[in-house]
């Protein structure tokens, strides 16, 4: 990776951790799930408003490190208006990106989420980057209202 690209990715993460997007609760959320990463102490709550199989609105609140906050912020930006199938495909692509694996299926474009591509070099940070995504998945699957990465 060129150092210019690395700088750009760094800027995206710093920007989203300092000014997280969609950082608020959602009064009419249809799902609310809390995620916890005990390894780092990151806590986030994801609010989701589903209409049929479309993510009408999504937001989050929480306290965590820069990586987990930026990841949640970019997740909410990426998922608004997406279908459940789109969300699942994005989850797979993102997970593959940060764990350094090839995606199983044809990968959708990750766009700004590619800023996390450097995370696969830091195994302890992978859980920070994926916390919001595991929490989202629980919200979509209607399984549980608490998620822990351990
Ligand atoms: Zn963290």
């Amino acid at each position: 990776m060129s150092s210019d690209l690395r700088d750009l990715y760094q800027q995206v993460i710093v920007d989203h951790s300092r000014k997280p997007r969609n950082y608020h609760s959602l009064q009419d959320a249809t799902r609310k799930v809390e995620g916890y990463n005990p390894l780092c102490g990151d806590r986030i709550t994801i609010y989701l408003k589903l209409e049929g199989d479309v993510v009408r609105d999504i937001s989050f609140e929480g306290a965590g490190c820069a990586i987990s906050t930026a990841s949640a912020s970019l997740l909410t930006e990426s998922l608004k208006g997406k279908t459940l199938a789109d969300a699942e495909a994005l989850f797979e692509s993102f997970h593959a990106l940060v764990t350094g694996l090839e995606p199983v299926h044809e990968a959708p474009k990750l766009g700004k989420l590619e800023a996390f591509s450097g995370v696969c070099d830091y195994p302890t940070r992978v859980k920070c980057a994926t916390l919001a995504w595991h929490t989202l998945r629980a919200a979509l699957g209607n399984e549980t209202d608490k998620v822990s990465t351990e």
Side-chain angles (χ1 to χ4, degrees):
M1 196 188 298
S2 74
S3 63
D4 281 358
L5 195 56
R6 205 175 276 270
D7 286 351
L8 176 70
Y9 285 169
Q10 184 67 29
Q11 280 169 25
V12 170
I13 291 175
V14 168
D15 176 43
H16 276 264
S17 67
R18 288 193 183 149
K19 289 177 293 180
R21 319 299 198 267
N22 306 303
Y23 189 87
H24 53 80
S25 63
L26 210 59
Q27 290 301 327
D28 55 351
T30 52
R31 292 284 290 150
K32 173 187 168 201
V33 177
E34 291 167 29
Y36 177 45
N37 171 20
L39 210 67
C40 177
D42 310 316
R43 287 181 188 278
I44 69 159
T45 302
I46 293 223
Y47 300 88
L48 188 67
K49 188 183 177 195
L50 275 181
E51 229 174 70
D53 72 339
V54 175
V55 177
R56 226 4 107 205
D57 208 354
I58 180 166
S59 67
F60 81 105
E61 288 179 314
C65 66
I67 299 270
S68 67
T69 304
S71 174
S73 172
L74 280 154
L75 174 150
T76 58
E77 246 192 3
S78 310
L79 284 222
K80 226 178 254 192
K82 293 277 198 295
T83 64
L84 294 181
D86 291 339
E88 183 65 27
L90 262 184
F91 173 92
E92 271 192 29
S93 284
F94 184 78
H95 199 261
L97 177 82
V98 297
T99 51
L101 298 170
E102 291 294 319
V104 184
H105 304 292
E106 193 160 327
K109 292 256 183 296
L110 282 167
K112 281 189 198 167
L113 293 171
E114 287 187 12
F116 292 90
S117 58
V119 169
C120 64
D121 295 332
Y122 305 93
T124 55
R125 302 307 247 164
V126 170
K127 284 180 177 172
C128 301
T130 55
L131 175 64
W133 291 84
H134 285 295
T135 309
L136 168 83
R137 207 185 209 186
L140 294 175
N142 227 344
E143 298 153 5
T144 170
D145 56 6
K146 280 205 171 59
V147 174
S148 173
T149 54
E150 289 301 298

